[in-house]
Amino acid sequence: MDVLTRLVLYFFSLQALCCPVSCAEWEAEVIKKIEVLTTSCVVIPCSFEYPGVQKSHSQLRGIWYSGNARDKFIYHEDDTKIVENFKGRTKMVGDLGSKNCTLEIVEFKNHDAGPYCFRIEIPGGENFSYKDNCAQVFVTEKPEEPKLHYREKAYEGSPYAITCSVIHTCPSHMPELTWSRGGKEEVTTHYKSIGEGKWEVQSLLTFVPNEHDDDADITCAANFYGGMNSESKMNLRVKRELFYMYQNWGASCFRQCECVFKLEVIKHTVS
Ligand SMILES: *[C@@H]1O[C@H](CO)[C@@H](O)[C@H](O)[C@H]1NC(C)=O
Ligand SMILES: *[C@@H]1O[C@H](CO)[C@@H](O)[C@H](O)[C@H]1NC(C)=O
């Protein structure tokens, strides 16, 4: 056996020796920085590793503290230990038994900014503060504006769709998107995580415009948890293609692609 093979074998036997328990080190993965809307909420993604036998949620004590002052607890299972400003506003939403230390802070305040760090205490075992992996939390007073996506042209009698989306940090209380028009049956909403502690709410408005919709303003408003809101507006231009087509079929077919479109519309209306 050469030296390299021996080394490799040695390494594997070491792994086999310690892995039935856990080879893990004291490591945490926490979001590096995140900007939170004042009055709203943030869910800080966090996961951690610790050496030794794996414990259940109730066998572990998860603590969040200010990176500027070790004794300033912003979350503790004993809430008398939490600093006054954060009392009743923080919650461990992660399951410690699954090594998930995700923290929720609601009613975010202007002076809530700061580095926040996770600490694990294993009763009868060791304690560890993951002070090299703290979350930098910033505050913004300006709500994110919803983004609108739509086709430039709408055609009378033909379905038309607009999407409105907004990014936020509060998956436990998603922002509501509301339209200046459209009933419930015309709107569908989707939620998704886009990583880095950010989430996106997307609302899709689908309707069939008529002649009265031409030049109408359509607004999408985002109402964030905590009461902040913002909105974006678009102006609808409805082309009266169908009417024109019946009146003047030949003359309206300047381009081949337009003709194809109109033929589809006819098929649709007739069936
Ligand atoms: C941690 O817990 C949060 C809150 O329950 C959950 O949304 C997230 O998916 C969990 N993370 C992992 C890696 O399981
Ligand atoms: C871990 O922290 C708890 C609470 O602060 C303390 O009572 C305990 O002695 C600590 N354990 C060790 C091994 O330092």
Side-chain angles (χ1 to χ4, degrees):
M1 242 188 284
D2 63 16
V3 180
L4 186 67
T5 320
R6 261 188 233 194
L7 261 181
V8 169
L9 281 177
Y10 177 68
F11 178 74
F12 278 117
S13 57
L14 260 191
Q15 285 239 313
L17 270 180
C18 84
C19 272
V21 187
S22 163
C23 290
E25 297 293 323
W26 297 100
E27 275 169 24
E29 210 170 292
V30 186
I31 189 103
K32 293 263 175 320
K33 61 173 196 188
I34 193 160
E35 195 174 65
V36 185
L37 176 64
T38 181
T39 75
S40 181
C41 106
V42 62
V43 172
I44 302 173
C46 168
S47 60
F48 65 104
E49 292 283 350
Y50 56 96
V53 182
Q54 303 305 290
K55 311 263 183 182
S56 69
H57 186 84
S58 58
Q59 291 173 303
L60 295 164
R61 184 179 297 135
I63 294 169
W64 279 85
Y65 65 96
S66 165
N68 299 326
R70 282 179 146 261
D71 54 347
K72 233 182 112 187
F73 298 142
I74 67 158
Y75 172 81
H76 195 290
E77 62 181 21
D78 175 0
D79 61 1
T80 61
K81 293 205 162 83
I82 300 179
V83 291
E84 206 51 46
N85 172 41
F86 280 95
K87 270 204 170 81
R89 294 200 291 122
T90 51
K91 191 165 136 193
M92 178 70 67
V93 289
D95 171 33
L96 297 175
S98 314
K99 301 173 175 176
N100 186 330
C101 40
T102 301
L103 177 79
E104 179 195 56
I105 309 175
V106 296
E107 294 161 40
F108 210 79
K109 297 188 193 318
N110 285 4
H111 51 258
D112 278 356
Y116 295 119
C117 320
F118 180 64
R119 169 181 172 81
I120 194 78
E121 289 186 357
I122 309 176
E126 284 178 85
N127 301 331
F128 192 84
S129 297
Y130 299 89
K131 56 181 186 303
D132 296 333
N133 303 83
C134 302
Q136 290 291 340
V137 185
F138 300 96
V139 190
T140 174
E141 295 188 15
K142 199 173 166 292
E144 184 96 24
E145 271 173 23
K147 287 195 172 55
L148 295 175
H149 289 281
Y150 50 88
R151 252 185 340 186
E152 223 36 73
K153 285 181 190 169
Y155 295 94
E156 197 184 310
S158 174
Y160 183 71
I162 311 174
T163 59
C164 174
S165 57
V166 78
I167 294 184
H168 65 103
T169 60
C170 188
S172 48
H173 308 78
M174 303 277 192
E176 255 179 63
L177 293 177
T178 53
W179 295 92
S180 56
R181 64 161 290 160
K184 270 209 172 68
E185 66 286 349
E186 291 173 322
V187 176
T188 51
T189 311
H190 301 278
Y191 306 95
K192 70 171 182 210
S193 161
I194 56 169
E196 299 289 294
K198 290 183 184 169
W199 293 73
E200 186 187 59
V201 179
Q202 190 183 74
S203 177
L204 174 70
L205 171 70
T206 317
F207 61 99
V208 179
N210 62 39
E211 58 183 309
H212 305 297
D213 290 323
D214 189 34
D215 202 27
D217 281 336
I218 298 185
T219 307
C220 172
N223 307 295
F224 295 86
Y225 166 75
M228 300 287 271
N229 46 64
S230 62
E231 62 176 47
S232 295
K233 193 167 79 173
M234 61 84 74
N235 182 262
L236 188 65
R237 305 314 303 237
V238 182
K239 294 219 177 292
R240 304 180 63 186
E241 288 286 291
L242 219 48
F243 177 74
Y244 186 53
M245 181 176 62
Y246 283 133
Q247 295 296 304
N248 206 346
W249 171 247
S252 71
C253 285
F254 291 119
R255 280 181 307 190
Q256 205 181 354
C257 59
E258 283 194 348
C259 287
V260 172
F261 172 73
K262 282 166 194 160
L263 278 173
E264 277 174 9
V265 172
I266 286 187
K267 262 194 273 167
H268 188 74
T269 3
V270 172
S271 59

